[in-house]
Amino acid sequence: MQKEWPRLLRLFHDELGYTVREGNPTLGYELFYVDLSSWKLRLSNRTPVIWVKTKDLDGVTSQHLMQSLGDVVRERNLQRQITLVLLDGNSTPLFKYKTSLSFNLALVGGEEQKRVVHSRRPSGELLDIISAQIPISYLSPYETRAPVTGSRFFGREYELSRILANPDTNHVILGIRRIGKTSLLRELERILKEREDPSRVVYLECSDLLSTDDYIREVVRKLNPRELPRLHMQKYVFFFPNFLERMSQINKAKTIFLLDEVDNLVIMQRGDWELFRMLRASSNKGACQYIIAGFREAMREQYMLDSPFYNFAQEVRLNEFSRQQARQLIVTPMENLRVHIRNEDEVIGRIYEETAGHPNLIQYYCMILLRHLDQTGEREITPKSLFDVYADEGFTSHLLTSFMQNTENREKALVYAILMTAEEAGTKGFTLEEIDAVLRKGGITMQQNAIDEACNVLTLAGVIHRKGKIYYFTSPVFTKVLHQTYDLNYLFRKVKEEGYDRG
Ligand SMILES: Nc1ncnc2c1ncn2[C@@H]1O[C@H](COP(=O)(O)OP(=O)(O)O)[C@@H](O)[C@H]1O
Ligand SMILES: [Mg+2]
């Protein structure tokens, strides 16, 4: 016989098609996990549900019950997730005792559960109850610091389907920093592991792997750690190809490798290519498929043609979001959070323009807007709300820090010189000749190839991009923030003093 479930979960599972899993009881409470990822909020595909039955309420004070729930959170390590508590009784007295530990608990009392179960829109009703208790900036799926997957992954439909539909092709995902390469790889990993035997799918972050040895050790560790000792006994050029073939034979299917941040590995292999020859051979033999990310464009130009990568992989270029994708990222979560957007087209248009469609900046933008709503208690965004973004210190420092870290004085000089001439240069665009002219005006003469190179670096860093002969700043917000935060003349002078010639 099936275990007893709360009525609400029964309904969600049996009639609404949500996936519900039973967890291990903790401190005497039944635990469940429900997949709420389709809501496109911070609620994951394993949103924990603690069931507090009527008998659990017997003779227990609200304060003690809350402490007990706090201990479940601690015990199960749920601090960083939103957890639902289905409480078969009156939940109102408990709210008083919410602490930082129980901050993420959404309490659904007996009456509320009934309301959900009898509602004609149960999902919506439950979401209303949750969003009344959890700050919307926290409930939202927006994430600015880490790669996103599942309910928090947006857009990229074309790239996903292209890669998933071609299991016999290797792919190399190219794009600037923070455009979403890791997110795409992680989302592919998630989907593949759901569809296929998970042991066939290997995600590997390669930024710390500098040699062939390092790489092989990591792969063996992930696929069959029992063979690690053999690495010392046999030369890897013999061992490794054989290892990869055996793994695919055991699994009766190719091993799918998702290799992130391969830049360093490529640099270390330059000239030799021993490792990449092995990878290529394993792919030709049908033992492995490779999906690689992290190539910077310059690398591609310098190394692709005369390397084993040539013709090895199909290029998948990640660009900024389309307007439609940006709309999804802005509107879907807002709708689910019951936030109304007044003059929707204008608001989306403005955000899209100011962020140049950069997913990370759009996320930042939305996050700030939601934090403001949490502070004021309002639930409406208007074109006017958008000004708040420029005043947000987190946002401005996010933009400026990545610029400062990704560029050297030469590139900085170039950016300051352009922006000093006129703020409009930020949107109007500029040619190499114009760059040369403004630099000279500021007292800097740079050789043409130095200017070229600086423009390349700035393009790689995602600060500017080129259309034909004209360069544009990628994000108007960036130029505005730079103008607003600093005295550009001063910065330019400093750069000149410090020196802008790279040794
Ligand atoms: N598909 C996506 N949907 C929503 N946000 C995204 C997506 N891809 C990237 N982002 C945003 O960009 C940020 C950086 O993404 P990440 O995958 O780490 O980029 P990369 O690996 O290219 O540096 C994420 O934290 C998120 O804010
Ligand atoms: Mg990355």
Side-chain angles (χ1 to χ4, degrees):
M1 210 195 82
Q2 229 176 354
K3 210 162 97 179
E4 199 193 347
W5 282 15
R7 232 177 120 196
L8 187 151
L9 285 185
R10 214 4 98 228
L11 170 85
F12 270 54
H13 176 269
D14 291 356
E15 283 165 46
L16 305 178
Y18 288 91
T19 304
V20 177
R21 298 182 180 87
E22 291 174 355
N24 293 328
T26 305
L27 302 180
Y29 301 103
E30 304 275 358
L31 232 70
F32 300 86
Y33 295 95
V34 53
D35 181 354
L36 297 178
S37 60
S38 62
W39 293 1
K40 286 285 186 190
L41 297 173
R42 191 173 290 252
L43 297 155
S44 75
N45 61 343
R46 284 176 66 85
T47 299
V49 181
I50 307 173
W51 188 13
V52 181
K53 299 183 195 177
T54 323
K55 70 168 173 47
D56 298 320
L57 298 168
D58 257 3
V60 182
T61 65
S62 300
Q63 189 180 10
H64 284 176
L65 180 57
M66 241 7 213
Q67 285 170 348
S68 171
L69 290 173
D71 280 336
V72 176
V73 168
R74 227 183 305 228
E75 163 93 19
R76 291 270 122 197
N77 240 324
L78 306 175
Q79 288 91 336
R80 296 177 50 81
Q81 298 184 56
I82 294 165
T83 299
L84 302 187
V85 180
L86 298 181
L87 185 115
D88 295 350
N90 182 6
S91 63
T92 322
L94 272 82
F95 283 96
K96 221 172 45 202
Y97 300 104
K98 266 201 173 191
T99 61
S100 58
L101 198 61
S102 42
F103 166 82
N104 287 331
L105 296 180
L107 305 175
V108 191
E111 282 306 312
E112 288 90 9
Q113 291 182 54
K114 253 190 219 145
R115 220 164 62 220
V116 172
V117 170
H118 294 295
S119 170
R120 299 175 71 175
R121 41 181 280 281
S123 306
E125 189 75 39
L126 180 59
L127 182 49
D128 286 343
I129 294 169
I130 298 171
S131 64
Q133 294 180 39
I134 310 281
I136 51 176
S137 60
Y138 190 75
L139 189 55
S140 84
Y142 299 124
E143 167 64 63
T144 54
R145 290 168 196 283
V148 292
T149 60
S151 65
R152 310 169 77 180
F153 184 92
F154 288 80
R156 307 293 189 217
E157 299 85 0
Y158 170 75
E159 289 83 358
L160 281 172
S161 68
R162 192 175 137 196
I163 295 174
L164 290 168
N166 291 292
D168 292 322
T169 313
N170 301 310
H171 298 272
V172 54
I173 300 165
L174 301 174
I176 59 171
R177 271 186 83 241
R178 292 207 184 154
I179 197 70
K181 297 180 295 298
T182 302
S183 301
L184 181 62
L185 275 188
R186 286 292 194 183
E187 180 66 358
L188 285 165
E189 180 194 20
R190 192 187 68 81
I191 298 171
L192 285 167
K193 281 191 167 161
E194 243 169 43
R195 283 191 193 172
E196 320 272 342
D197 170 7
S199 61
R200 282 183 57 201
V201 184
V202 179
Y203 173 93
L204 208 56
E205 217 271 275
C206 301
S207 58
D208 291 333
L209 310 178
L210 298 181
S211 65
T212 307
D213 277 316
D214 287 349
Y215 177 86
I216 291 175
R217 198 175 323 109
E218 274 317 298
V219 170
V220 176
R221 198 194 305 283
K222 289 235 158 156
L223 277 173
N224 194 11
R226 272 176 312 177
E227 293 196 40
L228 276 171
R230 291 186 54 189
L231 281 179
H232 302 293
M233 291 154 25
Q234 214 175 345
K235 263 199 137 91
Y236 56 63
V237 277
F238 301 115
F239 168 77
F240 193 53
N242 172 272
F243 173 81
L244 291 175
E245 275 185 59
R246 276 188 290 117
M247 287 301 118
S248 69
Q249 278 157 10
I250 291 171
N251 286 325
K252 298 202 175 52
K254 285 186 195 197
T255 311
I256 306 172
F257 283 99
L258 302 145
L259 307 181
D260 199 3
E261 305 260 355
V262 293
D263 303 42
N264 289 338
L265 208 52
V266 171
I267 294 173
M268 297 308 287
Q269 290 280 315
R270 193 165 39 182
D272 178 345
W273 298 117
E274 179 187 43
L275 173 61
F276 289 99
R277 280 208 193 89
M278 283 193 271
L279 302 192
R280 191 181 178 123
S282 67
S283 148
N284 289 345
K285 287 216 172 99
C288 309
Q289 181 196 15
Y290 292 95
I291 304 166
I292 299 174
F295 266 150
R296 296 167 59 175
E297 310 222 13
M299 297 255 186
R300 175 179 148 256
E301 278 166 23
Q302 284 176 21
Y303 309 122
M304 287 288 265
L305 274 176
D306 58 12
S307 79
F309 273 111
Y310 186 66
N311 260 346
F312 168 69
Q314 286 284 322
E315 181 180 314
V316 177
R317 181 168 297 260
L318 281 194
N319 290 317
E320 288 74 33
F321 270 15
S322 69
R323 208 186 170 88
Q324 185 50 33
Q325 291 171 328
R327 172 182 287 273
Q328 276 175 26
L329 178 53
I330 300 165
V331 171
T332 313
M334 296 289 182
E335 265 172 7
N336 289 339
L337 293 167
R338 313 290 188 255
V339 171
H340 176 246
I341 305 181
R342 206 196 302 166
N343 299 354
E344 193 175 281
D345 283 333
E346 186 185 344
V347 168
I348 291 167
R350 280 269 307 279
I351 297 179
Y352 189 65
E353 249 165 56
E354 299 196 349
T355 57
H358 209 289
N360 189 229
L361 291 182
I362 299 176
Q363 295 242 13
Y364 227 114
Y365 226 115
C366 293
M367 193 66 195
I368 291 167
L369 294 172
L370 288 183
R371 281 210 203 103
H372 267 267
L373 296 185
D374 272 334
Q375 278 161 14
T376 60
E378 288 165 39
R379 288 294 178 268
E380 185 176 68
I381 292 171
T382 69
K384 263 207 190 124
S385 332
L386 302 181
F387 291 107
D388 294 338
V389 172
Y390 295 101
D392 189 280
E393 269 183 36
F395 184 64
T396 49
S397 74
H398 175 79
L399 276 176
L400 297 175
T401 314
S402 51
F403 169 68
M404 294 296 173
Q405 285 173 351
N406 282 316
T407 55
E408 302 198 19
N409 276 352
R410 187 181 60 181
E411 289 90 49
K412 292 191 177 84
L414 196 147
V415 168
Y416 302 151
I418 294 165
L419 290 177
M420 267 157 52
T421 54
E423 195 167 340
E424 309 86 75
T427 46
K428 203 172 84 330
F430 39 90
T431 62
L432 285 175
E433 290 75 37
E434 280 166 328
I435 296 172
D436 192 28
V438 290
L439 281 171
R440 273 174 208 278
K441 206 167 134 207
I444 292 183
T445 22
M446 238 186 242
Q447 297 204 329
Q448 192 57 53
N449 66 353
I451 297 180
D452 264 349
E453 230 176 83
C455 285
N456 281 341
V457 174
L458 287 170
T459 309
L460 280 179
V463 176
I464 60 175
H465 61 272
R466 190 167 59 108
K467 281 200 187 119
K469 284 189 175 163
I470 304 180
Y471 285 96
Y472 297 90
F473 279 102
T474 306
S475 152
V477 189
F478 167 71
T479 56
K480 224 181 263 185
V481 163
L482 207 56
H483 257 290
Q484 184 182 283
T485 317
Y486 293 116
D487 174 356
L488 290 169
N489 290 299
Y490 168 76
L491 285 184
F492 189 75
R493 213 167 57 235
K494 283 317 260 185
V495 165
K496 263 168 72 179
E497 272 171 32
E498 285 170 20
Y500 47 87
D501 279 326
R502 269 197 296 190

